[in-house]
Structure formats: C-alpha cells, structure tokens
Amino acid sequence: ERISTRLVVSIDELREANKLLSEYGITEKEIVLCIHPGCSEPQSVRQWIASRYSQLADQLIEEYGARVVFTGIHHDHKEINSIQLAMKYPSVSLAGKTSLRTFMAVLKRSRVVIGSDTGALHIAQALQTPIVMLMGYTGPDDTGPFDPTGHSRFVKVELPCSPCIHREPKPAQWEICEPRRPVLCMDKLDVATVYNAAREVIGKIPAP
C-alpha cells in the first residue's frame, strides 16, 4: 500500500501567499497555475526545455484565463526570465522571493503545479495540490506521483533507455545524454503532451 506524505499550511500562511500574489495583481478569485521549471541542481538531466515552458504557459493562459506563476530559488531566476521573455502573455516570477513556508502556501493556492521530478513537485503533492510531473531519467514507480485522489498525472516518452536512474550498467544512450542538455527523454517530450495532461488535471479538480 502506498502512503502519501502530508504537509499542511496555516490559514495565516495562505493569507500571506494571497497578499504576496496581490502585489503582482493576482486576486483571490483568479485561477493560479504554478510552473516550477528548475531542478535541485543546475543543468539537471531531469530538466525540460525553457522555450517549451513558454509555449505551455501561453496555451494555459489562453485556455483558462489563468495567472501563471513561476516558482524557484534564486539561481532559477535567469532561466525563468528567459521563459517569460518568450511568452506572449504576462506572468509572475517568485523565484528567490519567498520563504519556504510562503512558497508552500503559494503551491497550496495553485490549481496545479507543473514541473520535473524535483522537490517542489513532491511538496505540492504532499500539500494535496495536483501536479503534472515531467519524467524521463526517473520513473513513476520510483518517485511517484503518489496521489490518492487520482488527480495528478505524470508524462513521459516511452524509450527503451528510460528510466535509467537506477540502471547499471547505464544504457548505451547514456554516453550521449550525459554531456548534453536536454537529454533525449526530455527532448522528445513535446508541449502538446504536457498541455493535454494539464488540461486533464484541471478538469478533474473541483471548482472552489
């Protein structure tokens, strides 16, 4: 039996998150979609392509009239800025601008959190915020998402070499992937696949 981790934020912390979002013109009635493009280490093998996040964010804004919020730590600022510059619509970056607890409250406030297999996605899952996790190097049997509500999704491309995180010896493709970014499994993951998964998740979430 899979037992999911549970985290909680207080009402005061949610108020603080809403106050922060209001400083960027986001009201409590608006839909917030969170995108977390970074990973725990720079140039990670788990990281998706920045320009595809730009396309994804624009499509979700067009579909839902939502506010897209990018989250991350300080070293994610440069990449998020490049994503935002390539977008047609305005978005908000909170990279490096929150405490851990306020960051958690922003994740809780969001309708869905989208990103690679990294800590922020697991925190969102533990807060019972649905996620769309982009996978390749790692696989769902290893790291989830383990969502008892059934709302969350993972997306991956079926490749004979994926996932390769625990494979020893590594598949031959690893010699090509190790020095390059994006790696093959992330390069093959297109915007339409992630977008369709996000739409499916958002459609399953009960309206507030």
Side-chain angles (χ1 to χ4, degrees):
E1 182 181 358
R2 291 174 173 170
I3 301 174
S4 297
T5 303
R6 286 290 184 92
L7 293 172
V8 296
V9 290
S10 69
I11 293 175
D12 286 342
E13 287 168 335
L14 284 171
R15 286 175 181 151
E16 185 66 27
N18 280 321
K19 180 181 177 182
L20 175 63
L21 293 172
S22 72
E23 293 174 6
Y24 293 90
I26 300 175
T27 69
E28 292 187 32
K29 293 183 178 181
E30 290 182 287
I31 297 172
V32 173
L33 306 179
C34 177
I35 296 179
H36 190 90
C39 290
S40 51
E41 69 279 350
Q43 296 296 308
S44 173
V45 295
R46 294 168 287 144
Q47 210 154 332
W48 203 34
I49 301 167
S51 61
R52 295 184 189 174
Y53 276 120
S54 303
Q55 297 173 53
L56 174 68
D58 278 336
Q59 290 181 19
L60 290 171
I61 291 169
E62 288 179 351
E63 176 79 13
Y64 296 102
R67 302 299 299 272
V68 168
V69 173
F70 291 97
T71 55
I73 59 177
H74 182 72
H75 82 232
D76 297 321
H77 175 74
K78 184 177 180 180
E79 180 183 7
I80 291 174
N81 187 54
S82 71
I83 294 170
Q84 291 181 294
L85 287 173
M87 290 174 59
K88 296 186 296 183
Y89 300 103
S91 60
V92 170
S93 173
L94 297 180
K97 298 177 182 178
T98 66
S99 67
L100 175 59
R101 295 297 304 185
T102 303
F103 167 67
M104 290 170 59
V106 170
L107 297 183
K108 181 65 176 177
R109 165 72 174 81
S110 302
R111 292 288 295 275
V112 65
V113 179
I114 303 169
S116 298
D117 180 5
T118 193
L121 276 288
H122 296 287
I123 291 172
Q125 183 80 94
L127 290 164
Q128 301 177 66
T129 298
I131 66 174
V132 175
M133 185 180 286
L134 286 56
M135 311 194 85
Y137 177 68
T138 58
D141 291 337
D142 184 29
T143 60
F146 304 128
D147 182 356
T149 70
H151 290 154
S152 297
R153 294 288 182 272
F154 69 88
V155 287
K156 65 188 295 290
V157 176
E158 295 299 331
L159 296 172
C161 55
S162 176
C164 64
I165 183 171
H166 296 307
R167 291 174 64 175
E168 293 295 342
K170 288 280 191 277
Q173 177 64 35
W174 178 247
E175 293 186 13
I176 301 172
C177 284
E178 186 176 20
R180 64 175 273 184
R181 297 294 180 272
V183 296
L184 182 64
C185 49
M186 290 291 101
D187 189 31
K188 294 287 187 182
L189 184 58
D190 60 27
V191 175
T193 300
V194 182
Y195 174 67
N196 289 335
R199 291 184 73 231
E200 184 178 351
V201 170
I202 295 167
K204 286 179 173 290
I205 303 170

